[in-house]
Amino acid sequence: MITRRSFARLALLTPFAAASLPRSAAAQATDTEWKQVIDAAKKEGKVVVYNGAVGTPALPKVLAAFEGKYGIRAELLEARASELRERIRTEQAAGKVLGDVSHNGSTTTALQLAEGTFVPYGTLPTAGRPVAPFKVDGTRVPIYVIQYGILVNTDLVKPAEEPRSWKDLLHPRWKGKILSDDMRALGGGAVFFMVTTQTFGKGFHDKLAEQQPHMNRELRGNYPRSARGEYPIYAPFTLPDSLDLKGLPVKAILPDEGSPYVRFDGAIFKGAPRPNAARLLLDFFLSDAAQLVYGNLGFAMTVGGLEGKVSGEARAIAQAKLLGTTDPKLQDEMLKLARSIYK
């Protein structure tokens, strides 16, 4: 269904055609156009997604729902944000693009947008659904938000010693005992580094570096290491993943200051071999079916009015207090600073 908001956008794109048709006729024309997109997407047969949220169960579930609705196969390639950025840059330079859709953090997506990596998606029936502060911009679709906190091993960390503030990570008892996502590369670690640097200052990380955190890029592979007791603390931890760790001796903590967070965006690669399937998937990301997958896994949704359909436990995580997010303009500067501190 075309809303007044999306129709207004269509009118701006095609002013003379929209002005010459009654409202219902214009809507019918748009419905016809979208049916053509769906038919063309089905002929393309599949869509390839480059995913920067390595190991998350959310995207595979959304893609399964997409396949179930349209019968279009969805293939997934996962890697860290920086690796995907270089991969698509190489593909486009060689004129042999294999991916169709980017599913990546807003910072990386903004950097790639400036590099000319993406193409506009045209009109989408769901374009008017995101609520403030989220919105589409003709190229990027805001899909969901990831919130970060701290994971502790409950066998090794006494309740009275649990870190209640990000600054509690600086306590001498945790020296050599912190496992961390790599803050020197794009991903959750970089989000944590930028937001906490902006909030607490560079001195916070000078002191955290003295704690000798063990950094790697294994992401979800770090969870079992925490559960086994190799490290009593893991940070930053993707809070929604706590729903997958029930029964293990671990506990997710949201520090008092709030959660560093990152929005994930969808966009179509320039030269995508299956542009119609890509466009259809972007539209699907903002559907109730996709948004509720993210919401019921504890991620904050970008479409409003669905909160009552999210399970209570997941809803509580999705409504976690937010501390701040990244600034794309500062990303290279922050990565350079992180590398100078964590050697």
Side-chain angles (χ1 to χ4, degrees):
M1 179 178 292
I2 305 302
T3 65
R4 292 181 180 275
R5 190 173 179 183
S6 60
F7 177 70
R9 184 174 292 106
L10 176 64
L12 289 174
L13 292 171
T14 56
F16 299 108
S20 64
L21 292 173
R23 172 69 177 87
S24 59
Q28 290 173 9
T30 302
D31 290 343
T32 299
E33 177 196 358
W34 192 246
K35 183 179 184 304
Q36 292 172 347
V37 171
I38 295 174
D39 291 343
K42 290 181 177 179
K43 289 181 180 179
E44 291 169 348
K46 72 173 182 178
V47 62
V48 176
V49 183
Y50 285 3
N51 174 39
V54 178
T56 178
L59 185 56
K61 291 183 178 181
V62 170
L63 295 182
F66 175 78
E67 289 182 349
K69 181 174 182 177
Y70 293 109
I72 298 171
R73 188 170 76 257
E75 296 182 359
L76 186 62
L77 172 68
E78 294 188 340
R80 292 188 70 93
S82 55
E83 295 166 355
L84 290 177
R85 185 180 174 191
E86 183 58 34
R87 179 187 177 97
I88 192 62
R89 182 187 291 129
T90 301
E91 289 183 9
Q92 291 178 335
K96 297 181 179 179
V97 179
L98 302 178
D100 299 302
V101 171
S102 170
H103 177 274
N104 220 324
S106 58
T107 298
T108 299
T109 305
L111 294 172
Q112 290 181 294
L113 180 67
E115 295 168 348
T117 303
F118 307 119
V119 294
Y121 50 68
T123 56
L124 299 176
T126 59
R129 301 199 72 200
V131 295
F134 311 113
K135 62 180 179 179
V136 301
D137 65 4
T139 302
R140 295 170 293 181
V141 168
I143 304 173
Y144 70 105
V145 166
I146 296 178
Q147 318 93 302
Y148 295 100
I150 299 171
L151 187 70
V152 301
N153 181 295
T154 53
D155 290 336
L156 301 177
V157 180
K158 301 175 182 178
E161 297 177 347
E162 292 176 355
R164 296 299 175 184
S165 163
W166 289 108
K167 293 181 180 180
D168 288 344
L169 296 177
L170 306 180
H171 194 285
R173 70 165 64 94
W174 306 129
K175 185 171 183 176
K177 298 180 179 180
I178 298 174
L179 182 62
S180 173
D181 186 40
D182 197 338
M183 291 176 263
R184 302 162 298 186
L186 293 176
V191 174
F192 166 70
F193 180 84
M194 183 183 294
V195 173
T196 50
T197 297
Q198 292 174 323
T199 303
F200 306 125
K202 175 179 175 293
F204 170 80
H205 282 283
D206 289 332
K207 294 179 181 178
L208 185 58
E210 294 176 1
Q211 296 287 73
Q212 300 175 358
H214 176 74
M215 296 194 297
N216 63 41
R217 305 181 185 184
E218 297 177 10
L219 298 175
R220 288 174 66 88
N222 284 323
Y223 301 168
R225 298 184 69 179
S226 298
R228 289 194 299 266
E230 291 184 38
Y231 293 89
I233 291 181
Y234 174 57
F237 168 66
T238 302
L239 287 173
D241 286 344
S242 62
L243 297 175
D244 297 330
L245 304 179
K246 294 178 181 179
L248 296 177
V250 293
K251 177 181 179 181
I253 295 175
L254 174 64
D256 293 338
E257 299 93 345
S259 169
Y261 72 95
V262 63
R263 188 186 76 237
F264 260 64
D265 291 341
I268 301 175
F269 292 124
K270 180 175 63 179
R274 293 159 289 270
N276 293 288
R279 189 177 173 189
L280 189 60
L281 179 58
L282 288 195
D283 183 75
F284 186 76
F285 278 140
L286 297 178
S287 68
D288 283 6
Q291 287 290 301
L292 286 172
V293 168
Y294 290 112
N296 281 309
L297 288 172
F299 298 102
M301 300 175 289
T302 60
V303 170
L306 300 175
E307 293 79 9
K309 297 181 180 180
V310 176
S311 64
E313 187 175 8
R315 190 186 313 152
I317 299 172
Q319 295 177 340
K321 176 184 176 182
L322 301 179
L323 177 61
T325 190
T326 55
D327 183 344
K329 298 188 295 296
L330 299 177
Q331 186 66 76
D332 290 341
E333 175 186 338
M334 288 290 105
L335 288 174
K336 183 178 179 180
L337 179 60
R339 291 163 187 154
S340 72
I341 295 175
Y342 297 96
K343 301 176 180 178

